[in-house]
Amino acid sequence: MALQEKLEKFKKQQESCQSILTSIAASNKARPTQKVTPAMPPAISKPPPPAVKFSTDTERLQHINSIRKSPAGAQIKRVIDLLLETRQALTPEQINEACYVDTNANKTVFDSLRKNPKVNYDGKRFSYKSKHDLKDKSQLLYLVRKFPEGIAVIDLKDAYPTVMEDLQSLKAAGQIWLLSNLDSQEDIAYPNDPRVPIKVDDDLKQLFRGIELPRDMLDIEKDLQKNGMKPATNTAQRRAMAQVQGISSKPKTKKKKHEISKRTKLTNAHLPELFQNLNK
């Protein structure tokens, strides 16, 4: 009987729990459902674009305007300098973009460039034209050898970008001479080739031979310094050092030439011209 009572009591507890769960489920259905949205991360704020500096743009436009209003000669020089620096064939549009000279809008500048001896125009592009069409050191040497009387370096400077370095290289190799013209202070390139005949005027020869040089080296060095040249020797210093060391700076007297006499043993009897002064 005790077991039966316990079973009955357990069933009542089960029914009570079931009714409680049913009531809870019914109350949840009656409530409006709320959707829980996940929290979004805060948006990353982009930095604002940099403000346009109208002052810089205004300065550039003023610069372009000053170039285009400058004299035609200044604009032509600007274009020629550009062509010399780049060594490229450029269209009028490329020239305008590079140096702000609008050749299409300025007929005077366009026509002057087309006729300029330093500019080549093929109908579409402008390019730099040097006086001598050279490409390298070998062509440079060949040209200099065609001018035995010398060619001005100023006429070679714009041949190609490294022409001045090649001139110094040819000079160092002893293939050419680079001498200065005293009148114009410009360098002249001469070929150093024994096969090239060099003509010298008779008046210049007579003038050269008529110059009397000082007998003392000190005076020669002073004259060289007076004419802007650096002497290769320093006689004053050399003589001072000789005096300190007790060496006489006086020239040595030549020994009396030994004359051949009858008692001299002749070993070159087959050369009679050596014994014309033989004392009888």
Side-chain angles (χ1 to χ4, degrees):
M1 290 294 291
L3 180 61
Q4 188 65 31
E5 291 178 358
K6 290 182 179 179
L7 289 174
E8 292 294 334
K9 189 177 179 179
F10 177 76
K11 289 181 179 179
K12 290 180 179 179
Q13 290 178 351
Q14 289 287 341
E15 290 174 356
S16 175
C17 289
Q18 186 67 31
S19 62
I20 292 172
L21 292 174
T22 304
S23 63
I24 292 174
S27 63
N28 288 337
K29 290 182 179 179
R31 292 179 184 177
T33 58
Q34 293 180 356
K35 293 183 178 180
V36 178
T37 57
M40 297 294 292
I44 300 174
S45 60
K46 296 182 179 179
V52 178
K53 294 182 179 181
F54 292 99
S55 59
T56 304
D57 191 60
T58 303
E59 183 179 353
R60 184 180 67 86
L61 294 175
Q62 289 177 347
H63 178 62
I64 296 173
N65 186 51
S66 64
I67 290 174
R68 293 179 178 174
K69 285 188 176 182
S70 62
Q75 298 187 50
I76 293 168
K77 183 181 183 303
R78 191 175 180 87
V79 174
I80 293 176
D81 290 343
L82 173 67
L83 298 176
L84 174 62
E85 181 181 357
T86 59
R87 300 286 177 151
Q88 296 179 359
L90 303 177
T91 62
E93 291 76 17
Q94 291 172 326
I95 292 173
N96 184 21
E97 184 179 353
C99 66
Y100 307 124
V101 176
D102 191 357
T103 57
N104 288 330
N106 195 326
K107 187 175 184 300
T108 302
V109 174
F110 183 89
D111 292 340
S112 298
L113 285 172
R114 187 169 53 86
K115 299 175 183 178
N116 195 292
K118 290 288 185 182
V119 178
N120 181 45
Y121 181 64
D122 61 0
K124 293 183 179 180
R125 293 177 174 83
F126 293 95
S127 59
Y128 188 80
K129 182 171 66 176
S130 57
K131 185 172 183 178
H132 300 285
D133 187 16
L134 305 175
K135 298 294 187 296
D136 51 32
K137 189 194 298 185
S138 60
Q139 294 183 4
L140 175 63
L141 178 60
Y142 179 77
L143 177 68
V144 174
R145 285 177 174 172
K146 290 173 65 175
F147 291 85
E149 297 181 359
I151 180 172
V153 173
I154 194 172
D155 293 336
L156 303 172
K157 280 185 175 181
D158 60 350
Y160 56 93
T162 60
V163 66
M164 297 305 297
E165 289 83 351
D166 288 345
L167 280 172
Q168 294 297 330
S169 177
L170 291 173
K171 177 185 176 182
Q175 294 179 294
I176 66 170
W177 297 101
L178 286 180
L179 304 178
S180 297
N181 189 327
L182 296 178
D183 296 331
S184 60
Q185 298 296 323
E186 293 180 355
D187 289 340
I188 308 294
Y190 296 91
N192 185 16
D193 189 351
R195 297 171 296 179
V196 178
I198 299 177
K199 297 180 180 180
V200 182
D201 295 338
D202 293 335
D203 296 339
L204 183 60
K205 292 179 182 179
Q206 186 176 0
L207 180 63
F208 177 78
R209 292 167 182 168
I211 297 175
E212 184 177 356
L213 296 176
R215 295 184 178 274
D216 195 340
M217 280 298 297
L218 285 173
D219 296 333
I220 295 177
E221 293 171 358
K222 289 179 181 179
D223 288 344
L224 289 173
Q225 293 174 350
K226 190 184 298 182
N227 288 277
M229 291 178 281
K230 184 179 180 180
T233 59
N234 192 335
T235 304
Q237 183 179 3
R238 180 171 55 82
R239 290 180 181 177
M241 292 178 63
Q243 289 179 358
V244 170
Q245 296 176 3
I247 302 174
S248 176
S249 60
K250 294 182 180 179
K252 297 181 179 180
T253 57
K254 293 183 179 180
K255 294 183 178 180
K256 186 177 181 182
K257 187 176 180 181
H258 181 68
E259 294 183 354
I260 300 174
S261 63
K262 290 181 179 181
R263 291 174 292 180
T264 305
K265 184 178 180 180
L266 302 179
T267 59
N268 294 324
H270 61 285
L271 299 174
E273 63 273 11
L274 296 177
F275 315 110
Q276 293 177 359
N277 296 330
L278 182 61
N279 295 332
K280 295 183 180 179

